[in-house]
């Protein structure tokens, strides 16, 4: 492969890369020597990998303007209050009515009502 063919192949490979990166790679090509065409093709494969990494870094840097790359939260939703909040949010998103929250007084009232019912059943059972 001639030097002109190598420059042409490299220019084709660098399509879509930043202009400064292209120029640097093409200028450096004149200073390089390769054993054979396979060695040069290996170099082109490395360039291809470099371009993909460069494009990913550019995409990641653009994401920083939107709060960065999303990361998974390490917080465990284990408390009942957190589970209740999540449940309320999901219900709201689905358009479901909010769940009735039982206050401690109403729970104790239910317990006493249940005890009275059990007492009455026990009396009838005798």
């Amino acid at each position: 492969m001639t030097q002109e063919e190598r420059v042409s192949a490299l220019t084709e490979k660098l399509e879509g890369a930043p202009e400064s990166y292209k120029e640097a790679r093409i200028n450096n090509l004149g200073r390089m020597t390769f054993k054979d065409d396979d060695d040069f093709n290996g170099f082109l494969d490395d360039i291809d990998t470099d371009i993909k990494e460069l494009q990913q870094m550019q995409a990641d840097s653009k994401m920083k303007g939107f709060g960065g790359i999303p990361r998974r939260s390490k917080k465990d939703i284990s408390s009942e209050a957190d589970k209740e909040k999540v449940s309320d949010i999901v219900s709201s998103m689905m358009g479901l009515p909010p769940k009735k929250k039982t206050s401690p007084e109403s729970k104790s009232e239910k317990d006493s009502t249940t005890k009275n019912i059990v007492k009455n059943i026990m009396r009838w059972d005798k």
Side-chain angles (χ1 to χ4, degrees):
M1 190 178 268
T2 67
Q3 185 67 12
E4 291 82 28
E5 290 173 329
R6 288 180 176 172
V7 169
S8 176
L10 179 60
T11 304
E12 188 178 312
K13 203 54 117 160
L14 292 170
E15 194 67 35
E19 206 57 42
S20 60
Y21 183 80
K22 274 188 204 180
E23 289 174 16
R25 289 298 180 172
I26 291 171
N27 289 338
N28 288 340
L29 181 63
R31 298 181 190 132
M32 297 177 170
T33 57
F34 300 97
K35 289 188 296 186
D36 52 21
D37 289 343
D38 288 336
D39 191 26
F40 177 72
N41 289 333
F43 169 73
L44 287 180
D45 290 341
D46 292 343
I47 291 290
D48 195 37
T49 302
D50 291 346
I51 290 171
K52 287 178 184 175
E53 289 175 3
L54 181 63
Q55 289 171 338
Q56 184 62 50
M57 287 180 356
Q58 287 176 330
D60 290 348
S61 71
K62 288 178 184 176
M63 290 290 292
K64 288 181 183 174
F66 296 101
I69 301 169
R71 304 270 188 234
R72 189 171 161 214
S73 173
K74 293 183 181 183
K75 182 179 178 186
D76 184 23
I77 302 176
S78 57
S79 75
E80 289 302 315
D82 287 342
K83 288 179 182 177
E84 191 172 313
K85 285 179 187 177
V86 170
S87 177
D88 289 346
I89 292 169
V90 170
S91 295
S92 168
M93 290 171 68
M94 293 176 65
L96 300 173
K99 291 182 180 179
K100 267 189 171 178
K101 296 181 181 175
T102 57
S103 63
E105 298 102 27
S106 65
K107 187 177 180 187
S108 65
E109 289 173 9
K110 286 182 183 177
D111 287 346
S112 66
T113 304
T114 304
K115 287 179 186 176
N116 288 335
I117 292 172
V118 170
K119 283 181 186 176
N120 286 333
I121 290 173
M122 300 282 284
R123 274 193 234 155
W124 284 98
D125 199 28
K126 290 182 182 180

